[in-house]
């Protein structure tokens, strides 16, 4: 733990200004990292690059490409699929534009497909292509908002189609006969921001891309895939797993960059309203609003990234109030919020105002992390860890003008992972970013995707390898047994006249959230999480607005809500049990065992608590929700009696020690796997029926697993060492939200034993690290 009174280099004038007024001898600054500049390095245009394209790029101010752009473009032009994994503002778009646009300019019959995770990003790319003014390029966006009368023109005439995996899955592939001309001439498929395809969603997209390749082959095409990613661990392996093909890697970023000062900031502890409440930190959003106001007063163009739409709105509003209180009323109008849910023209106006300097400060969600060309800012503030190091560096990369210093401030939320990161700078600055985790062999993903593929074109034995080999064979047999597919000598056939359904962004049929008064559809939640998130009287947030649930109808998949803004939050309380169905990997290490395999998690929501925003508990209300079962993957460890005794743990302390270690481990797994703590769950018990020992489980919160527990098993020593460091480094005396308390605990964070958790982790680490 760093000495909070030790001097830290604060030479950057903006950072020195932010620290003005901090109490003497106490500073929220935990570390300052100087990220060095990178000089300009240019390369020659490839000789195959279309002359009209080179001229258009020169007119746009791009006189010469950077070496990594040319390297990736050369691979793609030579017919090799490639991923370019470099930082924000490193010109990844030029790497795929060069081969894609040169191809359609050389042959008007050539086609290219651009896929992005959001419609907004595809629209931005369309504007960029249109701005080049190339008469031979007919680019068009094809998404759920595209009118049907325009789709016919796009299908017949567009040679660059910009879309997303959802439309590919729901429209283009099921109607492949209508799009046969496009698929037959498809030469390049661009997958932008491919690091966002992870977990269950990424596994679905991986199989959608295999379906695309299969139908292209039907029409005689074999497109080259060009993937663009943020910097990530093993980008080639992740990209290859995503598309199912060998993929070359370009990850040496040669783009110019000015120096950056990167500050790690931890708000001070405060005491919650209730006398018995654990200490909590000042909210990261409140701290970010104060810093935003100070930076705007200093004349710095600043972007604040928050974790939610509501957070963006509240941060902007609070910063305005700070400016008014400081007598800088004229500056309040130069701050705004930016988030999803705004109209396209509103977003464009905000982007222009920020770029021009009309706006000095913007509080945003990750909507400005992807693709939108906002760079050259003086400062970026991150109000909480964005979930992955890849996202952290993407957001931080928005700061910096070429050759000029910029400031990045990461403010820790009251969360174990945030606390660990600001007190362990090497976890940010001295380690690679996470590997994107996908598992296309997950049977819960494979099943519906194989049904979709069979409905498009009967599956043959040659297709089995494409969709996962032995795993696909097992799932196909189960689908035949269920009557969903029919096995014939020619292959597997879809048996229903209706299309099969597969939800790319979740498993099962979602529960729709409907406003009872107007009948408006507000959104959806996964059926598995509905009892915990939209139970009767739950507070539900949507686009910054608050609602209270009136009724949950799980049978018909609907939750009715009414607009209301109560001064409290709600959290469901659950009873959870876990059974080991199959152990796939196990190791015994001197009394400590580590395992990985398939488990069945049964849980039931039995009540909900209401708490004031300060954390004070108001009451607890019983609920009668159905028992739910989840078959998924888990990693676990156990201790024998000798290990427990050697650690100095008494039996009455054991449940709280294991529970606290479980919570902290869940909070730290996102440091090693591209997941959020809400994607995973945990169970701890002083005596588990299947192991016969004290056991801690961490499991994937998705049917069949999403690869997170598997990643935790693979890096268990590092993961648990970081977990121990987060607990030991927290300054609270007995446990708080920064170390062992969890916002999603179904048992109301009881019992918890901070000191006991350290003893448990020491006992495990003493064995697993030595091995």
């Amino acid at each position: 733990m760093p000495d909070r009174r030790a001097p830290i280099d604060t030479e950057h004038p903006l950072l020195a200004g932010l620290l003005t007024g901090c109490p003497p001898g106490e500073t929220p600054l935990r570390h300052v990292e100087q990220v060095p500049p990178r000089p300009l390095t240019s390369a020659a245009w490839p000789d195959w690059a279309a002359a009209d394209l080179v001229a258009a790029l020169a007119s746009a101010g791009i006189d010469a490409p950077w070496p990594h752009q040319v390297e990736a473009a050369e691979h793609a032009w030579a017919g090799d699929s490639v991923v370019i994994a470099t930082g924000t503002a490193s010109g990844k778009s030029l790497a795929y534009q060069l081969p894609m646009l040169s191809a359609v300019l050389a042959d008007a019959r050539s086609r290219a497909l651009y896929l992005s995770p959001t419609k907004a990003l595809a629209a931005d790319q369309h504007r960029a292509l249109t701005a080049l003014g190339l008469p031979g390029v007919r680019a068009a966006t094809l998404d759920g908002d595209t009118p049907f009368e325009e789709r016919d023109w796009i299908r017949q005439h567009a040679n660059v189609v910009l879309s997303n995996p959802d439309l590919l899955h729901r429209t283009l592939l099921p109607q492949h006969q209508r799009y046969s001309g496009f698929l037959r001439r498809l030469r390049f498929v661009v997958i932008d921001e491919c690091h966002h395809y992870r977990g269950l969603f990424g596994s679905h997209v991986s199989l959608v891309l295999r379906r695309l390749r299969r139908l292209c082959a039907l029409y005689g095409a074999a497109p080259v895939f060009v993937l663009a990613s943020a910097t990530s661990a093993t980008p080639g392996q992740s990209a290859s797993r995503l598309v199912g093909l060998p993929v070359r890697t370009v990850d040496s970023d040669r783009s110019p960059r000015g120096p950056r000062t990167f500050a790690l900031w931890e708000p001070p502890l405060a005491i919650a309203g209730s006398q018995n409440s654990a200490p909590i930190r000042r909210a990261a959003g409140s701290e970010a609003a104060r810093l935003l106001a100070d930076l705007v007063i200093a004349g710095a163009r600043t972007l604040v990234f928050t974790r939610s739409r509501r957070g963006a709105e509240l941060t902007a509003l609070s910063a305005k109030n700070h400016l008014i209180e400081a007598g800088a009323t004229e500056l309040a109008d130069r701050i705004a919020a930016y988030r999803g849910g705004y109209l396209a023209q509103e977003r464009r106006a905000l982007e222009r105002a920020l770029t021009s300097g009309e706006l000095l400060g913007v509080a945003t969600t990750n909507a400005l992390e992807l693709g939108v060309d906002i760079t050259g800012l003086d400062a970026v503030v991150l109000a909480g860890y964005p979930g992955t190091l890849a996202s952290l560096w993407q957001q931080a990369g928005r700061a910096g003008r070429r050759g000029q210093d910029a400031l990045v401030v990461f403010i820790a939320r009251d969360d174990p992972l945030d606390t660990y990161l600001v007190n362990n700078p090497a976890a940010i600055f001295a380690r690679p970013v996470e590997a994107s985790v996908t598992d296309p062999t997950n049977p819960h993903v494979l099943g519906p995707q194989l049904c979709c593929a069979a409905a498009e074109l009967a599956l043959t034995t040659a297709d089995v390898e494409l969709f996962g080999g032995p795993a696909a064979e097992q799932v196909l047999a189960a689908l035949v047994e269920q009557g969903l597919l029919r096995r014939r000598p020619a292959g597997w056939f879809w048996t229903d006249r209706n299309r099969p359904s597969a939800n790319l962004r979740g498993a099962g049929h979602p529960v729709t959230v409907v406003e009872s008064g107007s009948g408006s559809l507000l959104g959806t939640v996964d059926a598995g999480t509905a009892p915990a998130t939209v139970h009767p009287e739950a507070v539900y947030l949507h686009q910054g607005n608050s609602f209270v649930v009136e009724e949950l109808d799980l049978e018909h998949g609907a939750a009715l809500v009414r607009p209301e803004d109560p001064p409290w939050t709600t959290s469901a309380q659950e009873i959870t049990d876990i059974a080991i169905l199959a152990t796939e990997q196990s190791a015994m290490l001197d009394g400590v065992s580590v395992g990985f395999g398939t488990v069945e998690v049964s849980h039931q929501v039995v009540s909900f608590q209401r708490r004031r925003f300060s954390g004070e508990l108001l009451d607890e209300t019983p609920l009668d929700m159905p028992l739910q079962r989840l078959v998924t993957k888990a990693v676990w460890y156990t201790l024998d009696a000798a290990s427990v005794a050697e650690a100095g743990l008494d039996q009455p302390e054991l449940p709280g020690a294991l529970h606290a270690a479980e919570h902290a481990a869940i909070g730290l797994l996102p440091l090693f796997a591209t997941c959020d703590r809400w994607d995973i769950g945990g169970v701890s018990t002083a005596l588990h029926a299947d192991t016969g020992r004290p056991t801690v489980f961490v499991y994937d919160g998705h049917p069949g697993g999403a690869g997170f527990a598997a990643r935790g098993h693979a890096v268990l020593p590092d993961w648990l060492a970081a977990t121990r460091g987060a607990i030991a480094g927290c300054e609270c005396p007995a446990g708080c939200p920064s170390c062992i308390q969890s916002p999603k605990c179904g048992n109301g964070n009881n019992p918890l034993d901070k000191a006991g958790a350290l003893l448990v982790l020491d006992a495990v680490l003493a064995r697993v690290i030595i091995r």
Side-chain angles (χ1 to χ4, degrees):
M1 185 104 180
D3 183 350
R4 299 177 188 278
R5 295 164 299 181
I8 299 176
D9 178 20
T10 56
E11 290 184 1
H12 195 287
L14 291 177
L15 181 57
L18 295 180
L19 290 167
T20 302
C22 288
E26 183 69 25
T27 174
L29 196 61
R30 297 292 169 261
H31 179 77
V32 174
E33 187 83 9
Q34 300 296 339
V35 181
R38 190 166 49 217
L40 172 65
T41 306
S42 297
W45 293 105
D47 55 10
W48 47 261
D52 289 347
L53 173 59
V54 172
L57 292 170
S59 298
I62 304 173
D63 296 319
W66 298 321
H68 60 277
Q69 295 171 321
V70 174
E71 182 183 356
E74 291 279 16
H75 284 311
W77 190 257
D80 294 332
S81 292
V82 61
V83 58
I84 178 169
T86 52
T88 308
S90 62
K92 291 187 286 288
S93 58
L94 184 62
Y96 56 73
Q97 286 174 358
L98 269 177
M100 178 178 75
L101 298 180
S102 292
V104 299
L105 288 171
D107 182 357
R109 294 171 300 175
S110 292
R111 298 292 186 264
L113 175 65
Y114 169 95
L115 299 173
S116 72
T118 66
K119 290 188 288 187
L121 182 51
D124 285 327
Q125 285 293 317
H126 181 259
R127 277 186 290 276
L129 294 177
T130 303
L132 290 175
L134 296 166
V137 175
R138 301 183 299 276
T141 56
L142 179 63
D143 56 37
D145 297 334
T146 305
F148 284 96
E149 58 270 21
E150 291 184 18
R151 297 188 182 194
D152 287 338
W153 183 91
I154 292 170
R155 190 179 68 252
Q156 296 172 20
H157 301 292
N159 51 17
V160 179
V161 173
L162 302 103
S163 189
N164 54 67
D166 302 85
L167 186 128
L168 183 64
H169 161 62
R170 296 185 181 278
T171 301
L172 197 153
L173 298 182
Q175 300 177 26
H176 63 90
Q177 294 94 341
R178 301 188 68 204
Y179 286 89
S180 59
F182 177 82
L183 294 172
R184 182 177 293 111
R185 301 182 181 96
L186 188 58
R187 183 165 176 186
F188 290 103
V189 177
V190 174
I191 305 176
D192 205 357
E193 305 289 357
C194 68
H195 58 284
H196 278 266
Y197 300 120
R198 57 183 185 260
L200 207 66
F201 176 49
S203 301
H204 272 292
V205 171
S206 176
L207 293 166
V208 169
L209 295 175
R210 284 161 173 78
R211 286 163 51 200
L212 171 65
R213 288 176 47 213
R214 178 172 173 258
L215 293 177
C216 286
L218 172 69
Y219 296 110
V224 172
F225 286 79
V226 186
L227 302 96
S229 170
T231 52
S232 67
T234 62
Q237 293 179 22
S238 299
S240 179
R241 187 165 56 246
L242 184 65
V243 301
L245 287 169
V247 175
R248 291 183 174 271
T249 301
V250 175
D251 57 3
S252 177
D253 192 339
R254 304 289 298 278
S255 58
R257 181 186 65 198
R260 291 191 198 124
T261 298
F262 204 126
L264 305 184
W265 190 284
E266 185 176 34
L269 281 171
I271 302 298
S274 171
Q275 187 175 3
N276 297 322
S277 296
I280 59 174
R281 297 194 183 279
R282 190 157 60 214
S286 299
E287 195 85 339
R290 185 177 67 81
L291 298 192
L292 175 58
D294 289 347
L295 288 166
V296 166
I297 289 174
R301 290 168 55 208
T302 304
L303 204 57
V304 175
F305 284 99
T306 68
R307 292 294 303 271
S308 68
R309 293 175 174 182
R310 183 182 179 91
E313 298 281 4
L314 291 176
T315 298
L317 179 61
S318 181
K320 287 174 179 281
N321 291 335
H322 280 301
L323 289 171
I324 293 171
E325 292 170 3
T329 306
E330 72 283 358
L331 292 176
D333 291 335
R334 302 184 70 181
I335 289 180
Y338 181 105
R339 58 170 177 79
Y342 287 170
L343 298 177
Q345 55 266 36
E346 293 176 312
R347 294 197 305 271
R348 298 292 88 79
L350 287 168
E351 292 160 15
R352 288 193 298 270
L354 181 59
T355 302
S356 68
E358 179 184 345
L359 276 177
L360 276 176
V362 170
T364 181
T365 61
N366 63 357
L368 281 181
E369 176 187 326
L370 297 179
V372 181
D373 188 17
I374 301 292
T375 55
L377 303 174
D378 299 298
V380 163
V381 177
L382 282 66
Y385 184 58
T388 66
L389 283 175
S391 289
L392 181 143
W393 287 112
Q394 284 283 99
Q395 294 178 5
R398 294 298 186 194
R401 299 172 185 166
R402 191 176 303 175
Q404 293 187 355
D405 196 358
L407 175 66
V408 180
V409 181
F410 165 40
I411 303 173
R413 291 180 303 147
D414 210 358
D415 176 89
L417 181 52
D418 286 39
T419 300
Y420 177 80
L421 289 173
V422 296
N423 290 297
N424 294 270
I428 294 176
F429 302 110
R431 65 182 295 272
V433 298
E434 310 84 353
S436 294
V437 176
T438 57
D439 181 13
T441 64
N442 180 338
H444 294 269
V445 177
L446 256 179
Q449 289 293 334
L450 287 172
C451 288
C452 291
E456 292 155 4
L457 180 69
L459 291 161
T460 67
T461 53
D463 295 323
V464 172
E465 191 62 32
L466 174 67
F467 287 103
E473 288 180 350
Q474 294 180 9
V475 173
L476 285 169
L479 294 173
V480 171
E481 185 176 345
Q482 297 167 28
L484 295 173
L485 297 183
R486 182 175 292 113
R487 181 76 162 99
R488 291 290 184 263
W492 291 265
F493 292 78
W494 175 242
T495 58
D496 200 320
R497 291 185 178 182
N498 297 317
R499 287 183 189 170
S501 62
N503 181 11
L504 296 193
R505 299 177 187 267
H509 296 285
V511 172
T512 57
V513 182
V514 179
E515 185 179 351
S516 58
S518 64
S520 300
L521 175 64
L522 298 181
T524 61
V525 297
D526 290 338
T529 61
T533 55
V534 288
H535 58 76
E537 296 306 311
V539 176
Y540 175 79
L541 298 178
H542 177 74
Q543 292 190 4
N545 298 313
S546 179
F547 299 84
V548 172
V549 179
E550 295 179 345
E551 179 185 352
L552 172 60
D553 185 347
L554 289 171
E555 181 179 354
H556 297 94
L560 298 180
V561 303
R562 65 178 182 272
E564 193 173 324
D565 193 14
W568 59 72
T569 62
T570 55
S571 58
Q573 307 299 294
E574 297 180 333
I575 295 175
T576 304
D577 197 9
I578 192 166
I580 299 174
L581 301 182
T583 301
E584 298 174 22
Q585 298 181 55
S586 64
M588 180 66 72
L589 312 160
D590 190 23
V592 169
S593 71
V594 176
F596 171 78
T598 302
V599 298
E600 182 182 72
V601 182
S602 59
H603 55 94
Q604 185 174 23
V605 174
V606 295
S607 65
F608 72 93
Q609 294 179 343
R610 296 189 308 160
R611 291 182 180 271
R612 297 194 190 279
F613 297 127
S614 65
E616 179 186 357
L617 177 64
L618 293 175
D619 56 36
E620 184 167 344
T621 303
L623 287 171
D624 183 19
M625 293 283 110
L627 181 70
Q628 295 186 299
R629 289 183 170 85
L630 169 70
V631 176
T632 185
K633 300 292 186 182
V635 55
W636 61 86
Y637 61 82
T638 75
L639 298 90
D640 66 5
S643 301
V644 171
E646 184 182 327
L649 283 163
D650 295 330
Q651 199 63 32
E653 301 170 341
L654 195 53
L658 296 168
H659 193 196
E662 170 217 321
H663 278 188
I666 290 171
L668 268 292
L669 184 55
L671 184 62
F672 300 91
T674 47
C675 66
D676 188 271
R677 70 182 303 157
W678 298 93
D679 291 322
I680 49 182
V683 175
S684 56
T685 175
L687 181 63
H688 190 264
D690 293 331
T691 66
R693 294 176 163 201
T695 309
V696 173
F697 293 88
V698 175
Y699 61 85
D700 291 349
H702 301 283
F708 308 135
R711 177 66 179 165
H713 181 261
V715 297
L716 187 119
D718 292 336
W719 170 32
L720 294 188
T723 300
R724 191 206 183 281
I727 299 174
C730 185
E731 62 190 303
C732 73
C736 69
S738 291
C739 56
I740 61 172
Q741 291 187 352
S742 170
K744 53 180 287 191
C745 180
N747 296 311
N749 285 299
N750 184 51
L752 292 175
D753 186 334
K754 179 178 179 178
L758 293 173
L759 296 176
V760 167
L761 292 167
D762 283 341
V764 176
L765 287 167
R767 277 80 173 176
V768 299
I769 290 180
I770 289 174
R771 69 170 177 168

